[in-house]
Amino acid sequence: MRKTLAKFSVEYLQILDENGRADETLMPVLGDARVREFYEQMVRGRVFDETALALQREGRMGTYASIRGQEASNVGPALAMDKEDWLFPAFREDASMVARGVSMEALLRYWGWDERGNDVRDVNVFPVAVPVSTQIPHAAGFAWAMKLRKKRVATLVYFGDGATSKGDFAEALNLAGVFNLPVVFVCQNNQWAISVPRAKQSAAETLAQKAIAYGFPGIQVDGNDVFATYVATKEAIRRAKEGNGPTLIECFTYRMSDHTTADDAKKYRDAKQVAEWEKKDPIKRLQLYMKAKGLWSESYERALREQTRKEVDEAVKKYESMPPAQIEDMFRYTYAEMTPQLKEQLGYLKKSIEETKSTGGANR
Amino acid sequence: MRKTLAKFSVEYLQILDENGRADETLMPVLGDARVREFYEQMVRGRVFDETALALQREGRMGTYASIRGQEASNVGPALAMDKEDWLFPAFREDASMVARGVSMEALLRYWGWDERGNDVRDVNVFPVAVPVSTQIPHAAGFAWAMKLRKKRVATLVYFGDGATSKGDFAEALNLAGVFNLPVVFVCQNNQWAISVPRAKQSAAETLAQKAIAYGFPGIQVDGNDVFATYVATKEAIRRAKEGNGPTLIECFTYRMSDHTTADDAKKYRDAKQVAEWEKKDPIKRLQLYMKAKGLWSESYERALREQTRKEVDEAVKKYESMPPAQIEDMFRYTYAEMTPQLKEQLGYLKKSIEETKSTGGANR
Amino acid sequence: MVPIAKLTIVEAINAALRQEMERDASVVVLGEDVGRDGGVFRATDGLWEKFGDERVIDTPLAETGIIGASIGLALGGLKPVCEAQFDGFATPMLDQLINHASRIRWRSRGRFSCPLVLRFPYGGGIRALEHHSDSPETYYAHTPGLKVVVPSGPYDAKGLLASAIRDPDPVIFMEPKRVYRAIREEVPEEEYTVPLGQARVLQEGSDVTVIAWGAMVRECREALALTSYSIELIDLRTLSPMDTKTLVESVKKTGRAVIVQEAPRNCSVSAEVAAVLSREAFTSLRAPIKRVTGFDTVIPYPRMENYYIADEKRIAKEIDKVMKY
Amino acid sequence: MVPIAKLTIVEAINAALRQEMERDASVVVLGEDVGRDGGVFRATDGLWEKFGDERVIDTPLAETGIIGASIGLALGGLKPVCEAQFDGFATPMLDQLINHASRIRWRSRGRFSCPLVLRFPYGGGIRALEHHSDSPETYYAHTPGLKVVVPSGPYDAKGLLASAIRDPDPVIFMEPKRVYRAIREEVPEEEYTVPLGQARVLQEGSDVTVIAWGAMVRECREALALTSYSIELIDLRTLSPMDTKTLVESVKKTGRAVIVQEAPRNCSVSAEVAAVLSREAFTSLRAPIKRVTGFDTVIPYPRMENYYIADEKRIAKEIDKVMKY
Ligand SMILES: Cc1ncc(C[n+]2csc(CCOP(=O)(O)OP(=O)(O)O)c2C)c(N)n1
Ligand SMILES: Cc1ncc(C[n+]2csc(CCOP(=O)(O)OP(=O)(O)O)c2C)c(N)n1
Ligand SMILES: [Mg+2]
Ligand SMILES: [Mg+2]
């Protein structure tokens, strides 16, 4: 006997096409102000990104991972979240973090070599996770805690296409499936993991289908369509909160910049591919839509850019005028209380700085 | 636009049903002698297993993981392999290892607290891997080496249902998919990972569908049907050797014994379930088939049992009469050459044994 | 009067888990086979029956996932006490422990913390398969931000585990499986804690200081009976942060030290103890510090493992050599 | 005459890889971005162009898979030289290294062996993100069956890596990224090896022995210029197995020792060095052995990291203190 045991399929969602035309049958009900909010958050992301890149070039900030081209995958999910929900970013979600309320100043501080950038109170956003994929089990565990504590809270975690190859991803998704956890897994498939193209990352035709291995739904969405990323996330968050478990969302997008400021993408990818994706720009696309709906004008754009510029400039100023951290901070946060060893070591370091007139710091 | 991007299905294969009736349309072409070989290898496995359990009970051997009920999942794949192929076992594949040429004596030695049990030359079988799932990337890597070295060799790796939850499994299968490696992944889904039932191991309906996440075929077979496990493996090995990449085979079977001799399954599972599966016994089933075909008789059974008994008894005798290993062996194999530290430590230990008249060993 | 029971280590651990779960509703126990089965060593026996599916959780077989999710559970306001089934199966947890659990407070400047406990049985001597007999304490002790605790007897096991569970930081709690059931002690039924970070002087003496932890404490006790010196025996109990004060004071008094461990020697906890003592008790030392350790190879399969683990005779002999230096 | 080029460490590593790949067809290089991109530090630059897809392999993002598959490649007769992109991303490899790579020869009584090399850049000082600045050598050095090698300059980098690749056992090759391009040395173009397991006396002296490895060797050299003592400077080069003979001989002569490392202190390589020296040079020691190390906390983000890593002034001061003891 040969028989078919089970059948599966993977769906794709796009609402706003490359030319800014919306599929009205799928369009969510959004007021004009809300549509503008989508646009404005993406522009904030873009301006922040450009500024961060400039600061890095000038040596005023450290290695930075640009989100250019991924604004719709950053902003749509963030705006689909409720206030009480929690976000676990990877490291390419600055626009998402900002949309959720993290200050630009804190982000600059983080990228600017300062742990204090992670100390962001009063917003439900965790710090950046550098080791790829390692934040995914944290999010599953956090969602689990919310479930066990009977809180109606969804947890959303971001990661890249590269992250789907790592064991943490698999173990976390499997746990989420088994315990039916209220978590939304958002993969920003930007086609590249540094120099490794998506096709060499996995032989799976889509990344969304990885959910089949864990017994819950996966969907691929146009990641440059902010309405699609919004709608898919909204649905997934509803499922999570209604006790229907996890969802995997693959946002099909593109990394327009180098991997980070330490990378040179020209070494491994074709400029033609980048140019093709330029046409799919998520901000341009929404602009066309808004224009058609009478929600966009040159003057609106000018005002928005100006205001955003001011916001970013102020953040930079605050970032650069922050007094340096204290030597104590190196020792203070390893445990709730400093151990005798750490007290001794702090004493030693203070004395040593005095004795040697060492200036330490990044200026060496 | 909502559209279906991709469709998948998972197939099931059974050739010999619980009552020993074969689906002749699927039956492989096997001579009588070959059919007997299937039977005899399973009986060897069963008798070895019973003996090992007895030795353990009597304190003559250590913790042992019984294969009872899984003989068809052990033997079918082993007999589907060609001589040049390589087997990476987990720890519940004694009948498979024996069928591939590992001596029973070596296995007793391994389970009998002696590293020398792993030193089995001239058969293409790796030692038991204790940490669950960790052998799977080894097999992928080994298959990769064979591919890069242009050798027409397939690599087959065993693991349990529990192992499919671990990151090594996911990373190895993903690599195998990307590099199209000549490897066959055989999951003995015996429904339990110690006390954790299959349904709590993963929310996926089948384990075979996990292959979808890695872009290659997965199939579920009746794991108590030695023809099905044989045929599915044969096909997978052909695919591997023809350059068509990996396959995942889920053998749907049942662990009839406790997890190991250190376990008491009564604590967590229902005797009724065990009784249900007793009816699906892989040996009984093949016996009925052979009887119907005139390949089995009481006297054949008697002779086979007697001969197997003798073989196992001889292995036990050899195992128990092996002289103890040398103290040097503790140090000799850590590196190709002993480091100065190890030389010193060996000298120290020898002196210490002399000085203290320590007897060491398991007898303490 | 306080009711007192004679318990083994594994029973004391079970009692501590039960006590802390009763005391604090945020404590959850998770791991492979910890629920219905009660753990492969029965350390969590009866907890699932008492506290149910939501507080005693059987997980899939996924150590990275277990520890990673435990970090998330801790961030989410629960107090996860997770189990690795054996020493050798905690290794996949190292990445999450080193790169996250130990740093979450530090990274976020105290905004978040990661109060979790990882328990696992460790060490040889129970005739087990490979990867069931390792002593990996060094990997954890070397990691800043983790605490590492190893009890040697039932009383301490209960009190130290209670402290570990109440601790605001991640604690690795290693249980000496060789003596899980070999030692019985009077253990109060009422709740108590034994503070982390404090060594315990088990016996005072003036000739030589013997330092050990976990199962090796028993071997040291037995060695004492074989010598006629005045020995100060110290149970380290917390490997990190280490109570160097107690150690140094003792060696300043005795002038001699023998450190006994089961783990391989190179770059191990005994090295730290020796480095600290040789420095802090420099002028008091009357003989070189002796380390009696496992060898720099994997612990052998059981037919040979008792040559690897120092026994009381070997320890006594080394004490004797140090005294005769 | 032998052609000689002035190379940096990263160029020397590249040269060694090229040389060994030319010499031995079984050598394959694999890891994330090692191929077309030539590695994030360009250590594998040009190899993919020269040796092609089958010998210079870009892998998916999966460290456990990379090391696990490398074990399989080694078992299958190849010589994998795999890369972890940074110190903090090698951690997921620990499980396979501790539980398998280091034990395959041992477990199989010599039937199988596991000749692989794991290379990764380590250490701070390049103003990088978290997990890009760690010094995790202790985890590897404590593991029996692994060898751990850390070059400090271009000449040794090429010769040691060649030895590591030819070695029949698994070797962890840690590259001091802070000085990847900071030091140029004459490096012969022809092939040569520098033996594993041998420390190198960089400068002879009679007052005090200074022991370091990797990037800290440069800081020590600079510290030497700040003091007027006669200093014996030793580059440890191989952390495991350690060349204790050279160290002990030196300290027997000088009577004083300063060990300098970047890693956190507790249970680290410097502890082993101190433990061995305090024992083997017991009667020669004129002052307590000094360990100048990282602190027992994670290395700070770059604004503070140079307070964490000892600089030449701090080292010189400590040498001075030891001399004035
Ligand atoms: C475990 C781990 N390995 C390697 C790295 C180095 N690294 C940083 S980002 C990156 C690629 C990530 O690709 P992807 O997941 O697709 O995310 P993207 O950068 O495209 O957003 C790599 C290899 C890392 N951070 N963590
Ligand atoms: C990494 C790891 N974790 C835990 C264990 C302890 N353990 C041994 S077998 C087992 C269950 C394995 O289940 P499965 O993979 O289904 O194989 P089975 O025993 O059923 O053959 C566990 C948890 C282990 N050996 N390795
Ligand atoms: Mg990507
Ligand atoms: Mg199973």
Side-chain angles (χ1 to χ4, degrees):
Chain A
M1 164 173 65
R2 267 195 200 269
K3 66 176 181 193
T4 299
L5 266 188
K7 288 187 173 184
F8 308 93
S9 65
V10 175
E11 307 294 309
Y12 176 83
L13 175 68
Q14 184 198 58
I15 298 175
L16 194 63
D17 73 12
E18 287 178 46
N19 304 314
R21 274 187 300 262
D23 180 335
E24 296 295 345
T25 64
L26 296 170
M27 194 58 199
V29 182
L30 302 168
D32 289 353
R34 189 71 167 150
V35 171
R36 284 218 183 89
E37 193 183 348
F38 280 88
Y39 186 73
E40 289 161 18
Q41 290 292 3
M42 290 202 286
V43 169
R44 281 175 91 203
R46 177 77 48 101
V47 174
F48 176 84
D49 193 70
E50 287 164 356
T51 308
L53 287 168
L55 289 173
Q56 192 283 335
R57 259 194 311 276
E58 294 161 18
R60 295 157 67 189
M61 207 190 70
T63 307
Y64 172 73
S66 168
I67 59 154
R68 189 179 189 93
Q70 302 181 209
E71 290 86 353
S73 297
N74 265 250
V75 166
L79 294 186
M81 294 170 79
D82 298 316
K83 191 166 172 7
E84 69 275 13
D85 299 335
W86 277 82
L87 176 69
F88 283 72
F91 46 78
R92 206 181 292 285
E93 283 83 26
D94 280 19
S96 183
M97 293 169 87
V98 166
R100 292 279 299 153
V102 175
S103 74
M104 291 182 181
E105 175 199 346
L107 287 173
L108 294 173
R109 203 165 287 145
Y110 170 75
W111 296 110
W113 306 296
D114 191 337
E115 294 88 347
R116 290 175 298 176
N118 295 323
D119 184 8
V120 181
R121 313 260 163 168
D122 305 323
V123 285
N124 292 358
V125 179
F126 274 84
V128 160
V130 171
V132 167
S133 188
T134 53
Q135 75 282 11
I136 310 179
H138 305 169
F142 190 88
W144 204 353
M146 295 304 110
K147 178 174 174 156
L148 292 171
R149 293 175 62 198
K150 320 274 185 256
K151 303 214 172 230
R152 213 182 136 82
V153 169
T155 302
L156 188 147
V157 57
Y158 270 109
F159 47 89
D161 44 311
T164 64
S165 299
K166 258 192 98 222
D168 320 60
F169 166 84
E171 297 196 12
L173 269 72
N174 193 57
L175 279 174
V178 167
F179 295 103
N180 203 38
L181 301 178
V183 54
V184 182
F185 298 104
V186 180
C187 176
Q188 290 202 72
N189 172 9
N190 64 4
Q191 313 305 329
W192 293 92
I194 310 188
S195 73
V196 178
R198 162 61 190 85
K200 288 195 175 176
Q201 195 60 243
S202 176
E205 298 88 327
T206 70
L207 297 176
Q209 77 201 49
K210 296 212 171 205
I212 297 169
Y214 311 108
F216 57 80
I219 182 174
Q220 191 187 78
V221 305
D222 181 338
N224 286 13
D225 166 6
V226 74
F227 295 141
T229 61
Y230 171 81
V231 166
T233 308
K234 200 91 189 158
E235 283 173 13
I237 285 181
R238 183 167 356 97
R239 289 191 70 237
K241 290 192 176 171
E242 287 175 356
N244 295 321
T247 310
L248 171 62
I249 301 173
E250 175 188 0
C251 300
F252 199 84
T253 180
Y254 196 82
R255 192 193 83 208
M256 295 301 292
S257 295
D258 296 329
H259 167 68
T260 65
T261 51
D263 176 51
D264 176 10
K266 282 195 289 299
K267 189 129 198 247
Y268 53 79
R269 74 178 180 186
D270 197 337
K272 266 192 258 151
Q273 193 186 47
V274 183
E276 275 309 307
W277 276 89
E278 189 69 58
K279 297 182 199 148
K280 304 184 207 258
D281 185 72
I283 296 181
K284 191 76 209 160
R285 188 186 297 202
L286 183 56
Q287 196 184 91
L288 290 172
Y289 171 85
M290 288 167 69
K291 204 167 167 185
K293 299 270 173 198
L295 293 171
W296 185 90
S297 67
E298 299 276 351
S299 64
Y300 165 75
E301 182 77 17
R302 241 189 335 268
L304 172 61
R305 293 274 167 177
E306 208 163 287
Q307 181 202 319
T308 307
R309 182 74 267 150
K310 224 170 87 187
E311 182 193 4
V312 175
D313 286 347
E314 255 158 45
V316 173
K317 208 177 296 163
K318 278 199 209 156
Y319 155 63
E320 295 203 314
S321 60
M322 176 98 167
Q326 295 176 301
I327 295 293
E328 280 81 358
D329 288 359
M330 264 178 67
F331 299 88
R332 195 179 267 156
Y333 301 108
T334 300
Y335 301 95
E337 258 186 73
M338 260 193 238
T339 63
Q341 281 78 2
L342 289 175
K343 281 184 199 152
E344 190 216 300
Q345 292 173 14
L346 168 59
Y348 163 83
L349 176 57
K350 282 183 156 177
K351 189 149 163 270
S352 161
I353 291 171
E354 246 168 61
E355 285 172 354
T356 62
K357 312 260 169 293
S358 166
T359 49
N363 307 316
R364 186 184 144 78
Chain B
M1 164 173 63
R2 267 195 201 269
K3 67 177 183 194
T4 297
L5 265 188
K7 288 188 175 186
F8 307 95
S9 64
V10 175
E11 308 293 309
Y12 176 83
L13 175 68
Q14 183 197 58
I15 298 175
L16 194 61
D17 73 13
E18 285 177 49
N19 305 312
R21 274 188 300 262
D23 181 335
E24 296 295 344
T25 63
L26 297 169
M27 194 55 202
V29 182
L30 301 168
D32 291 351
R34 189 70 166 152
V35 172
R36 284 219 181 87
E37 194 183 348
F38 280 87
Y39 187 73
E40 288 160 19
Q41 290 291 3
M42 290 202 286
V43 169
R44 281 175 90 203
R46 178 77 48 101
V47 174
F48 176 84
D49 194 69
E50 287 164 353
T51 308
L53 287 167
L55 289 173
Q56 193 283 333
R57 260 195 310 276
E58 294 161 18
R60 294 156 69 189
M61 208 190 71
T63 306
Y64 171 73
S66 168
I67 59 154
R68 188 178 191 93
Q70 302 181 212
E71 289 86 354
S73 296
N74 264 251
V75 166
L79 294 186
M81 295 171 76
D82 298 315
K83 191 166 174 4
E84 69 275 12
D85 298 336
W86 275 84
L87 176 68
F88 283 71
F91 46 77
R92 207 181 293 284
E93 285 83 26
D94 280 19
S96 183
M97 293 169 84
V98 165
R100 292 280 298 154
V102 175
S103 74
M104 290 183 181
E105 176 199 345
L107 286 174
L108 293 173
R109 203 165 285 144
Y110 169 74
W111 296 109
W113 306 296
D114 191 337
E115 294 88 347
R116 290 175 297 175
N118 294 324
D119 184 9
V120 180
R121 314 260 161 168
D122 305 323
V123 285
N124 292 0
V125 179
F126 274 84
V128 160
V130 171
V132 167
S133 189
T134 53
Q135 76 281 11
I136 310 179
H138 305 169
F142 190 88
W144 205 352
M146 294 304 109
K147 179 176 172 151
L148 292 170
R149 292 175 63 199
K150 318 274 185 256
K151 303 215 171 227
R152 212 181 137 83
V153 168
T155 301
L156 187 147
V157 57
Y158 269 111
F159 48 88
D161 43 312
T164 63
S165 298
K166 260 190 98 223
D168 321 62
F169 166 84
E171 297 195 12
L173 268 71
N174 194 58
L175 279 174
V178 168
F179 295 104
N180 203 38
L181 302 179
V183 54
V184 182
F185 298 105
V186 181
C187 176
Q188 289 201 71
N189 171 8
N190 63 6
Q191 314 303 330
W192 293 92
I194 308 189
S195 74
V196 178
R198 162 61 190 83
K200 289 195 173 175
Q201 195 61 243
S202 176
E205 299 88 327
T206 70
L207 297 177
Q209 79 201 49
K210 296 211 170 205
I212 296 169
Y214 311 107
F216 57 80
I219 181 172
Q220 190 189 76
V221 305
D222 182 339
N224 286 11
D225 166 6
V226 72
F227 295 141
T229 61
Y230 171 82
V231 166
T233 309
K234 201 91 192 159
E235 282 173 14
I237 286 182
R238 184 168 353 98
R239 288 191 71 237
K241 290 192 176 169
E242 286 175 356
N244 295 320
T247 310
L248 171 61
I249 301 173
E250 175 189 1
C251 300
F252 199 83
T253 179
Y254 196 82
R255 191 194 83 207
M256 295 300 292
S257 296
D258 295 329
H259 168 67
T260 64
T261 51
D263 176 50
D264 177 10
K266 281 196 289 299
K267 188 128 198 250
Y268 53 78
R269 75 177 179 187
D270 198 337
K272 266 192 258 151
Q273 195 188 45
V274 183
E276 276 310 305
W277 276 90
E278 188 69 58
K279 297 182 199 147
K280 305 184 207 257
D281 185 73
I283 295 182
K284 190 76 210 163
R285 188 185 296 202
L286 183 57
Q287 196 184 88
L288 289 173
Y289 171 84
M290 288 166 69
K291 205 167 163 184
K293 298 269 174 200
L295 293 171
W296 185 90
S297 66
E298 298 276 349
S299 64
Y300 164 75
E301 182 76 18
R302 239 188 337 268
L304 172 61
R305 293 274 167 176
E306 205 164 290
Q307 182 202 317
T308 308
R309 184 73 268 152
K310 223 170 89 189
E311 183 192 4
V312 176
D313 287 347
E314 254 160 46
V316 174
K317 208 176 295 163
K318 276 199 209 156
Y319 155 62
E320 294 202 314
S321 61
M322 175 99 166
Q326 295 176 303
I327 294 293
E328 279 81 356
D329 288 357
M330 264 179 67
F331 299 89
R332 196 178 267 154
Y333 300 108
T334 300
Y335 300 96
E337 258 186 72
M338 261 193 242
T339 64
Q341 280 78 1
L342 288 175
K343 281 182 199 153
E344 190 216 302
Q345 292 174 14
L346 169 59
Y348 165 82
L349 176 58
K350 281 184 159 177
K351 188 147 160 274
S352 160
I353 291 171
E354 245 168 62
E355 284 172 354
T356 63
K357 313 262 171 291
S358 165
T359 48
N363 305 316
R364 185 182 145 79
Chain C
M1 227 206 63
V2 183
I4 293 232
K6 280 259 192 188
L7 299 186
T8 62
I9 291 179
V10 77
E11 288 162 353
I13 285 164
N14 186 270
L17 290 168
R18 183 182 303 257
Q19 164 191 306
E20 293 304 307
M21 292 185 80
E22 278 169 356
R23 192 180 161 273
D24 178 354
S26 74
V27 176
V28 294
V29 164
L30 68 158
E32 296 156 14
D33 310 295
V34 298
R36 198 180 284 260
D37 193 36
V40 292
F41 283 103
R42 302 289 174 257
T44 55
D45 218 20
L47 300 180
W48 175 76
E49 288 81 350
K50 184 168 168 64
F51 298 102
D53 268 346
E54 299 210 329
R55 296 191 62 201
V56 184
I57 305 167
D58 277 325
T59 64
L61 208 167
E63 281 78 8
T64 300
I66 292 169
I67 193 71
S70 292
I71 291 171
L73 286 163
L75 292 169
L78 296 183
K79 179 84 205 193
V81 181
C82 65
E83 178 180 296
Q85 215 158 64
F86 280 90
D87 28 68
F89 312 139
T91 335
M93 296 177 162
L94 282 169
D95 181 43
Q96 285 283 348
L97 289 170
I98 294 170
N99 281 337
H100 287 296
S102 64
R103 307 178 171 211
I104 281 175
R105 179 189 297 282
W106 172 91
R107 174 188 302 150
S108 67
R109 304 285 98 165
R111 177 180 173 213
F112 298 109
S113 63
C114 191
L116 62 81
V117 176
L118 165 63
R119 299 173 40 244
F120 60 84
Y122 86 94
I126 63 153
R127 297 197 188 193
L129 292 165
E130 195 185 335
H131 303 103
H132 290 68
S133 303
D134 299 340
S135 293
E137 61 263 35
T138 300
Y139 300 109
Y140 305 95
H142 178 61
T143 305
L146 300 181
K147 297 182 179 178
V148 184
V149 179
V150 189
S152 71
Y155 181 89
D156 276 358
K158 185 175 170 199
L160 288 168
L161 183 52
S163 291
I165 293 174
R166 296 181 198 184
D167 198 87
D169 288 304
V171 180
I172 312 300
F173 192 85
M174 293 174 56
E175 303 169 1
K177 68 170 98 83
R178 178 151 91 258
V179 290
Y180 251 162
R181 296 188 169 78
I183 301 170
R184 269 189 194 279
E185 256 175 19
E186 302 204 330
V187 175
E189 273 174 29
E190 61 169 13
E191 64 163 82
Y192 65 94
T193 58
V194 171
L196 306 189
Q198 292 183 15
R200 180 172 170 200
V201 179
L202 294 177
Q203 174 182 304
E204 296 198 13
S206 54
D207 289 338
V208 53
T209 302
V210 174
I211 300 161
W213 53 93
M216 296 312 290
V217 171
R218 183 183 63 165
E219 317 294 326
C220 290
R221 278 188 203 270
E222 289 176 11
L224 262 49
L226 303 181
T227 72
S228 49
Y229 304 111
S230 169
I231 293 173
E232 181 134 315
L233 178 59
I234 301 183
D235 179 356
L236 194 53
R237 298 202 295 197
T238 298
L239 309 191
S240 179
M242 200 184 275
D243 180 4
T244 52
K245 191 159 163 283
T246 298
L247 305 183
V248 170
E249 270 169 20
S250 174
V251 176
K252 277 189 175 163
K253 179 177 72 176
T254 61
R256 293 182 176 89
V258 175
I259 311 156
V260 181
Q261 81 180 13
E262 193 169 323
R265 173 175 309 182
N266 201 29
C267 307
S268 62
V269 173
S270 68
E272 183 66 30
V273 176
V276 168
L277 291 177
S278 77
R279 175 162 186 82
E280 303 297 326
F282 185 69
T283 53
S284 314
L285 280 180
R286 284 185 269 174
I289 295 164
K290 179 78 198 174
R291 296 157 68 195
V292 183
T293 68
F295 303 111
D296 286 320
T297 179
V298 183
I299 184 168
Y301 286 10
R303 277 198 196 266
M304 298 280 272
E305 72 180 328
N306 285 324
Y307 286 117
Y308 185 91
I309 304 171
D311 62 6
E312 71 285 5
K313 291 189 228 165
R314 198 192 296 169
I315 297 166
K317 188 79 202 169
E318 295 303 330
I319 293 173
D320 194 56
K321 284 189 202 162
V322 168
M323 288 307 302
K324 291 189 173 139
Y325 174 80
Chain D
M1 229 207 60
V2 182
I4 292 233
K6 279 258 192 188
L7 299 187
T8 63
I9 290 179
V10 78
E11 288 163 352
I13 285 163
N14 186 271
L17 290 169
R18 183 182 303 258
Q19 164 191 304
E20 293 305 306
M21 293 185 80
E22 278 168 354
R23 189 179 162 273
D24 177 356
S26 74
V27 176
V28 294
V29 164
L30 68 158
E32 295 156 14
D33 311 294
V34 298
R36 198 180 286 259
D37 193 36
V40 291
F41 284 102
R42 302 287 174 258
T44 55
D45 218 19
L47 299 181
W48 175 76
E49 289 81 350
K50 184 168 168 66
F51 298 103
D53 269 345
E54 300 211 327
R55 294 191 62 198
V56 185
I57 306 168
D58 277 326
T59 65
L61 209 167
E63 281 79 6
T64 301
I66 293 169
I67 192 70
S70 292
I71 291 171
L73 286 163
L75 290 170
L78 295 183
K79 179 83 204 192
V81 181
C82 65
E83 178 179 296
Q85 215 157 62
F86 279 90
D87 29 66
F89 311 139
T91 336
M93 297 177 161
L94 281 169
D95 181 44
Q96 285 283 348
L97 288 170
I98 294 171
N99 282 336
H100 287 296
S102 65
R103 306 177 172 212
I104 281 174
R105 180 190 295 285
W106 172 90
R107 173 189 301 149
S108 67
R109 305 286 96 165
R111 179 180 172 210
F112 298 109
S113 63
C114 190
L116 62 81
V117 176
L118 165 62
R119 297 174 41 245
F120 60 86
Y122 86 96
I126 63 155
R127 297 199 188 191
L129 291 165
E130 194 186 334
H131 302 103
H132 291 68
S133 302
D134 300 339
S135 294
E137 61 262 35
T138 301
Y139 301 109
Y140 305 96
H142 177 60
T143 304
L146 300 181
K147 297 182 179 178
V148 184
V149 178
V150 188
S152 71
Y155 180 89
D156 276 358
K158 184 175 171 197
L160 287 169
L161 183 52
S163 290
I165 294 173
R166 298 181 197 185
D167 198 85
D169 288 304
V171 179
I172 313 301
F173 193 85
M174 293 174 56
E175 302 169 2
K177 68 170 97 81
R178 179 152 91 260
V179 290
Y180 251 163
R181 296 189 169 78
I183 302 169
R184 271 190 193 276
E185 256 176 22
E186 303 204 327
V187 175
E189 273 174 30
E190 61 169 11
E191 66 163 81
Y192 64 94
T193 59
V194 171
L196 307 189
Q198 292 184 15
R200 179 171 169 202
V201 179
L202 294 176
Q203 174 183 305
E204 297 198 12
S206 54
D207 289 338
V208 54
T209 303
V210 174
I211 301 161
W213 53 94
M216 295 312 289
V217 170
R218 183 183 63 166
E219 317 294 327
C220 290
R221 278 188 203 271
E222 289 175 13
L224 261 49
L226 303 179
T227 71
S228 50
Y229 304 111
S230 169
I231 292 172
E232 181 133 315
L233 177 59
I234 302 183
D235 180 356
L236 194 53
R237 299 202 294 195
T238 298
L239 310 191
S240 180
M242 200 183 274
D243 179 5
T244 52
K245 190 159 165 282
T246 298
L247 306 182
V248 170
E249 269 169 21
S250 172
V251 176
K252 278 189 173 162
K253 178 177 73 177
T254 62
R256 293 182 178 87
V258 175
I259 311 157
V260 181
Q261 80 182 14
E262 191 168 325
R265 174 177 309 182
N266 201 28
C267 306
S268 62
V269 173
S270 68
E272 183 66 30
V273 176
V276 168
L277 291 177
S278 76
R279 174 163 187 83
E280 303 296 327
F282 185 69
T283 54
S284 315
L285 280 181
R286 285 186 269 173
I289 295 164
K290 181 78 198 174
R291 293 157 71 193
V292 182
T293 68
F295 304 112
D296 285 319
T297 181
V298 184
I299 185 168
Y301 286 11
R303 277 198 198 267
M304 298 280 271
E305 70 181 332
N306 285 325
Y307 286 118
Y308 184 92
I309 304 172
D311 63 5
E312 72 286 4
K313 290 188 230 163
R314 197 191 296 169
I315 297 165
K317 187 79 202 167
E318 295 303 330
I319 293 172
D320 195 54
K321 284 188 203 162
V322 168
M323 288 306 302
K324 290 185 175 144
Y325 174 79

